[in-house]
């Protein structure tokens, strides 16, 4: 490698590190939004990482207008790194950095290395592109596959000899594009327009066309299901009403493509005009045709099927690397003055970093505005990662009910952070409370959970905070502060009948069902016994198969009291609270026991008390005495 080549290498390494730093800065800086939750759900976050057939089944049921490749990659990635948002978003960042590297490779082969470095700089600092470096979505994978495919197209159409691996990879990347996002067909349309216009200059013209046809045929098995979903989405009236016209699309796209600084179009058009006065470089014209083909085909599609509104400009992402390459060429092409390159680049970068700093408040981001009204759940989850107990329930506050609103898969954003990631129950008090009897509402939401984690932002406390804490502190003991930061407080509470340092008392049954914890107490004044058991089943089918019986027995095993037997599926709650009256029982010693039995055969299930090592099909929970 010569000295100039080493310089380009050093610059590209620095640029890739800079792009990585920009993307990494956002990975854990905000909550997941609606589309990211859809992605994770289709990967299996609420079950287990899905296989390819399971991904296809999930998309068929919930998201027919999507295709499976990215979700399958994400599911396999989750097998390695888990479901937390930081490593899951990292996958998009990884694809994004590889896309930057391949932008350089494509532009260097199509034009020259100086232009390639500048093009890679422009895509790295494009606010439009940077936004997708940190989202659990398919768009950086789409960009990477597109640039690899375009690079192979350039090689196959110009090289004197082509290797078999190039043909194979060309077909595979075309198939992968279609199975990553069907709108990649517009990227292939841009290449196809170029293929048609420059047919006389393209080697292996028919071979390339045949490769695209083979790729299209490979998508046919999935096409019917996708088309059903696409046609269903087309009938959504709100989408048609919000779709932009061609002039509106043009105006908004012109704003987005130059990082929000429309004045940057002046030097672009000026330099392009100067280039046209001379003999135009056919290589740059070919790249222009590809980018224009992508944009025009999308606009034509939107005229026939109105779909693209101000929140869906991501469909134009495929045109950005070709636009950036053209901008780089007019700024850096040999034989021209480059005095304006540095000012242009500084303004471009400033605009991109400004958009990047705005994050989810940028008007073209597509992020649902309701998400700014919910608490920073990612902070809550991070702070509890190593300090939670498996039976805790998170109690928080939100300005929007969207925090726990069930989406397509019946799961909410809170279900992801506390259910899928931490395996905890949760409840959120939405401000303002719609119930006049707010105390009753609070008690209903807290339910019978004996272990609470109250989480809130001290500088943005809900108006319901005082009411909720008053109800909690009336029945619970404050035990420890798990987080005491300026931006987050997490305080542990335990029911007043329990001690803060109490150890769990589980029972494991032979069929895989578990009592995660059990405790009880005798209230002489009320003449009753209160028993709490927390249940976990090994398989969903067991919810309908087994019943629970809580009984009071004498020392000689005579039953003298019993709570109504409960089906495990009743309300599908972890915690079962039973109150058994002791009125009329004579003085003496008694025992409360638990029995798990098959609701059909009545056969009792054997288990083992993990705290005492006692085994049997009738196991004790509490011993108490009624005084004379």
């Amino acid at each position: 490698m010569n000295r100039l080549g080493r310089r380009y290498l050093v610059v590209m390494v620095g640029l890739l590190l800079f792009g990585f730093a920009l993307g990494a800065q956002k990975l854990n800086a905000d909550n997941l939004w609606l589309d990211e939750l859809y992605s994770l759900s289709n990967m299996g976050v609420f079950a287990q990482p899905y296989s390819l057939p399971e991904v296809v089944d999930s998309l068929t049921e919930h998201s027919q207008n999507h295709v499976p490749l990215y979700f399958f990659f994400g599911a396999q990635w989750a097998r390695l790194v888990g479901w937390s948002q930081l490593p899951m978003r990292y996958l998009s960042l990884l694809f994004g950095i590889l896309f930057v590297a391949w932008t350089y490779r494509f532009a260097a082969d199509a034009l020259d290395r100086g232009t390639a470095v500048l093009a890679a700089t422009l895509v790295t600092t494009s606010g439009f592109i940077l936004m997708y470096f940190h989202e659990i979505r398919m768009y950086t994978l789409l960009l990477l596959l597109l640039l690899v495919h375009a690079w192979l197209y350039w090689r196959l159409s110009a090289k004197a000899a082509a290797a078999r691996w190039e043909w194979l990879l060309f077909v595979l990347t075309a198939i992968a594009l279609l199975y990553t996002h069907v709108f990649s067909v517009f990227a292939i349309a841009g290449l196809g327009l170029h293929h048609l216009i420059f047919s006389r200059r393209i080697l292996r013209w028919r071979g390339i066309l045949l490769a695209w046809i083979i790729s299209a045929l490979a998508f046919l098995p999935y096409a019917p299901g996708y088309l059903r979903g696409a046609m269903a989405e087309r009938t959504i009236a709100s989408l048609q009403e919000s779709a932009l016209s061609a002039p509106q699309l043009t105006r908004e796209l012109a704003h987005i493509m130059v990082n929000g600084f429309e004045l940057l179009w002046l030097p672009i058009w000026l330099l392009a005009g100067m280039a046209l006065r001379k003999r135009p470089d056919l290589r740059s014209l070919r790249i222009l045709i590809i980018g224009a083909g992508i944009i025009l085909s999308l606009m034509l599609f939107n005229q026939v099927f109105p779909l693209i509104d101000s929140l869906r400009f991501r469909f134009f992402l495929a045109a950005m690397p070709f636009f950036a390459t053209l901008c780089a060429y007019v700024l850096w092409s040999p034989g021209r003055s480059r005095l304006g390159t540095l000012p242009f680049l500084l303004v471009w970068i400033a605009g991109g970093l400004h958009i990047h700093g705005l994050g989810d408040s940028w008007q073209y981001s597509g992020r649902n505005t309701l998400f700014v009204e919910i608490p920073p759940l990612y902070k809550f989850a991070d702070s509890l990662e190593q300090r939670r107990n498996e039976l805790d329930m998170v109690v928080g506050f939100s300005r929007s009910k969207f925090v726990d609103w069930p989406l397509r898969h019946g799961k909410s954003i809170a279900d992801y952070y506390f259910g899928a990631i931490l395996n905890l129950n949760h409840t959120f008090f939405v401000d303002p409370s719609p119930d006049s009897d707010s105390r009753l509402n609070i008690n209903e939401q807290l339910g019978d959970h004996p272990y609470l984690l109250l989480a809130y932002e001290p500088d943005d406390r809900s108006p319901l905070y005082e009411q909720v804490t008053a109800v909690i502190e009336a029945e619970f003991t404050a035990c420890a502060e798990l987080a005491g930061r300026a931006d987050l407080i997490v305080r542990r509470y335990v029911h007043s009948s329990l001690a803060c340092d109490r150890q769990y008392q589980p029972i494991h049954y032979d069929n895989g069902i578990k009592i995660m914890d059990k405790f009880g107490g005798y209230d002489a004044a009320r003449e009753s016994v209160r028993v709490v058991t927390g249940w976990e089943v090994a398989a969903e089918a067991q919810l309908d198969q087994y019943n629970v019986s809580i009984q009071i027995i004498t020392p000689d095993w005579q039953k003298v009291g019993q709570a109504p037997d409960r089906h495990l599926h009743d309300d599908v709650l972890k915690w079962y609270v039973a109150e058994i009256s002791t009125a009329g029982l004579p003085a003496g010693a008694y025992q409360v026991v638990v029995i798990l039995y098959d609701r059909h055969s009545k056969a009792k299930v054997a288990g083992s008390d993990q705290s005492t090592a006692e085994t049997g099909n009738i196991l004790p929970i509490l011993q108490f005495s009624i005084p004379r």
Side-chain angles (χ1 to χ4, degrees):
M1 184 183 293
N2 58 29
R3 180 179 299 177
L4 184 59
R6 287 195 293 270
R7 287 179 181 174
Y8 285 130
L9 177 61
V10 169
V11 171
M12 278 304 301
V13 169
L15 183 61
L16 292 174
L17 290 174
F18 178 62
F20 181 86
L22 286 177
Q25 178 189 12
K26 292 285 186 177
L27 292 182
N28 214 29
D30 56 356
N31 289 324
L32 296 183
W33 73 294
L34 181 142
D35 280 5
E36 289 183 287
L37 188 61
Y38 288 162
S39 292
L40 289 168
S41 299
N42 286 318
M43 295 172 189
V45 67
F46 296 108
Q48 59 186 2
Y50 283 162
S51 63
L52 182 57
E54 289 172 323
V55 168
V56 172
D57 288 344
S58 179
L59 292 175
T60 301
E61 182 177 355
H62 301 289
S63 305
Q64 282 191 321
N65 59 324
H66 284 100
V67 285
L69 186 61
Y70 171 75
F71 304 107
F72 174 67
F73 282 168
Q76 306 321 302
W77 180 254
R79 291 184 192 275
L80 299 175
V81 302
W83 289 112
S84 296
Q85 74 174 40
L86 183 64
M88 288 305 296
R89 280 177 168 170
Y90 179 83
L91 184 62
S92 293
L93 175 58
L94 176 61
F95 289 143
I97 295 303
L98 292 174
F99 154 69
V100 171
W102 228 280
T103 298
Y104 170 84
R105 183 70 273 155
F106 169 76
D109 284 3
L111 297 166
D112 61 81
R113 288 185 293 182
T115 297
V117 168
L118 189 53
T121 303
L122 293 178
V123 297
T124 302
T125 52
S126 165
F128 186 28
I129 294 174
L130 265 178
M131 185 164 47
Y132 298 97
F133 274 36
H134 100 298
E135 285 196 359
I136 307 173
R137 299 295 283 162
M138 70 289 294
Y139 298 106
T140 54
L141 174 60
L142 176 70
L143 288 170
L144 171 60
L145 290 171
L146 173 59
L147 264 292
V148 175
H149 187 72
W151 172 72
L152 288 164
Y153 173 77
W154 213 264
R155 289 172 65 90
L156 290 172
S157 63
K159 281 180 59 180
R164 290 181 180 178
W165 69 265
E166 291 174 306
W167 282 110
L168 177 61
L169 193 56
F170 183 71
V171 172
L172 290 178
T173 51
I175 295 172
L177 277 167
L178 292 173
Y179 276 100
T180 298
H181 200 298
V182 175
F183 269 51
S184 61
V185 72
F186 297 105
I188 297 176
L191 292 170
L193 179 63
H194 170 275
H195 201 65
L196 181 64
I197 293 174
F198 295 96
S199 58
R200 293 184 179 181
R201 296 176 176 271
I202 295 174
L203 300 176
R204 306 174 192 85
W205 191 90
R206 291 182 179 83
I208 292 173
L209 185 60
L210 178 61
W212 280 332
I213 293 173
I214 292 171
S215 305
L217 291 174
F219 186 72
L220 282 181
Y222 202 86
Y226 173 80
L227 288 174
R228 283 194 297 271
M231 294 307 293
E233 187 162 347
R234 182 175 175 266
T235 62
I236 300 175
S238 60
L239 285 179
Q240 296 182 10
E241 292 170 1
S242 62
L244 301 178
S245 64
Q248 290 172 318
L249 280 176
T250 302
R251 184 170 57 253
E252 299 298 332
L253 192 59
H255 176 78
I256 293 169
M257 292 178 75
V258 291
N259 278 342
F261 280 96
E262 287 92 342
L263 288 177
L264 288 179
W265 284 106
L266 292 177
I268 292 172
W269 287 115
L270 178 63
L271 291 172
M274 292 172 60
L276 289 174
R277 291 181 60 186
K278 303 178 182 179
R279 182 178 179 180
D281 189 325
L282 192 59
R283 298 174 303 169
S284 61
L285 182 60
R286 292 172 67 182
I287 294 173
L288 173 62
I289 293 297
I290 296 171
I294 295 171
I295 293 174
L296 292 175
S297 60
L298 267 168
M299 287 189 168
L300 179 61
F301 171 84
N302 193 61
Q303 285 298 109
V304 180
F305 300 103
L307 181 68
I308 303 175
D309 59 13
S310 61
L311 301 181
R312 290 190 165 201
F313 273 90
R314 55 188 178 272
F315 296 151
F316 288 97
L317 273 171
M320 283 301 296
F322 303 104
F323 171 71
T325 301
L326 278 173
C327 286
Y329 177 76
V330 299
L331 290 167
W332 195 259
S333 57
R336 292 181 204 159
S337 171
R338 298 171 182 169
L339 292 176
T341 300
L342 183 59
F344 179 97
L345 194 58
L346 290 175
V347 174
W348 174 283
I349 293 173
L353 294 181
H354 173 69
I355 292 170
H356 185 59
L358 293 176
D360 60 4
S361 62
W362 194 42
Q363 60 179 318
Y364 304 103
S365 67
R367 286 177 166 265
N368 195 309
T369 55
L370 289 173
F371 276 84
V372 302
E373 300 295 322
I374 68 176
L377 305 183
Y378 63 96
K379 290 183 182 179
F380 293 3
D382 287 348
S383 68
L384 296 174
E385 185 69 37
Q386 305 298 328
R387 307 191 66 184
R388 73 190 188 281
N389 291 327
E390 60 179 336
L391 304 185
D392 291 335
M393 181 174 80
V394 177
V395 179
F397 304 90
S398 176
R399 290 192 294 271
S400 169
K401 63 182 179 181
F402 200 74
V403 66
D404 220 1
W405 193 268
L407 300 174
R408 289 180 189 170
H409 292 74
K411 299 293 184 179
S412 68
I413 189 74
D415 287 327
Y416 164 72
Y417 284 105
F418 302 118
I421 302 302
L422 299 178
N423 194 30
L424 299 178
N425 282 349
H426 63 273
T427 189
F428 280 85
F429 294 93
V430 178
D431 174 45
S433 173
D435 299 289
S436 57
D437 189 352
S438 57
R439 182 178 178 85
L440 176 61
N441 185 49
I442 293 170
N443 286 327
E444 287 179 351
Q445 285 191 236
L446 294 178
D448 298 309
H449 290 76
Y451 306 104
L452 305 181
L453 296 176
L454 183 66
Y456 63 95
E457 298 173 274
D459 57 348
D460 189 23
R461 288 199 326 193
S462 165
L464 291 175
Y465 171 80
E466 300 294 344
Q467 274 185 294
V468 172
T469 53
V471 172
I472 290 175
E473 290 175 356
E475 296 188 24
F476 290 79
T477 302
C479 291
E481 195 166 81
L482 303 188
R485 310 197 310 247
D487 62 337
L488 177 64
I489 299 292
V490 181
R491 190 175 299 120
R492 183 187 298 282
Y493 287 88
V494 171
H495 194 273
S496 55
S497 63
L498 305 173
C500 289
D501 58 353
R502 174 182 176 277
Q503 298 297 310
Y504 296 152
Q505 298 177 9
I507 293 175
H508 291 181
Y509 288 95
D510 293 350
N511 61 359
I513 293 176
K514 298 177 182 178
I515 292 179
M516 301 169 296
D517 194 15
K518 54 181 171 57
F519 57 89
Y522 169 61
D523 190 330
R526 295 178 57 187
E527 295 187 292
S528 69
V529 169
R530 182 176 184 267
V531 179
V532 181
T533 50
W535 293 83
E536 183 178 276
V537 297
E540 188 174 350
Q542 292 176 324
L543 291 170
D544 292 313
Q545 185 177 355
Y546 294 96
N547 286 359
V548 180
S549 181
I550 307 289
Q551 303 177 4
I552 300 176
I553 62 173
T554 63
D556 59 352
W557 292 84
Q558 298 299 309
K559 182 175 69 175
V560 293
Q562 180 176 357
D565 285 6
R566 171 182 170 166
H567 306 315
L568 275 182
H569 69 260
D570 286 354
D571 300 323
V572 196
L573 294 176
K574 279 185 179 179
W575 296 100
Y576 171 32
V577 179
E579 295 244 6
I580 309 173
S581 173
T582 60
L585 291 183
Y590 296 92
Q591 188 171 215
V592 179
V593 298
V594 59
I595 301 170
L596 178 68
Y597 66 93
D598 188 297
R599 61 186 300 188
H600 303 293
S601 68
K602 310 303 180 184
K604 299 182 180 69
V605 182
S608 173
D609 190 314
Q610 301 298 296
S611 56
T612 64
E614 183 175 349
T615 60
N617 51 26
I618 301 177
L619 291 168
I621 294 178
L622 168 70
Q623 292 182 343
F624 69 98
S625 297
I626 298 178
R628 294 183 183 278

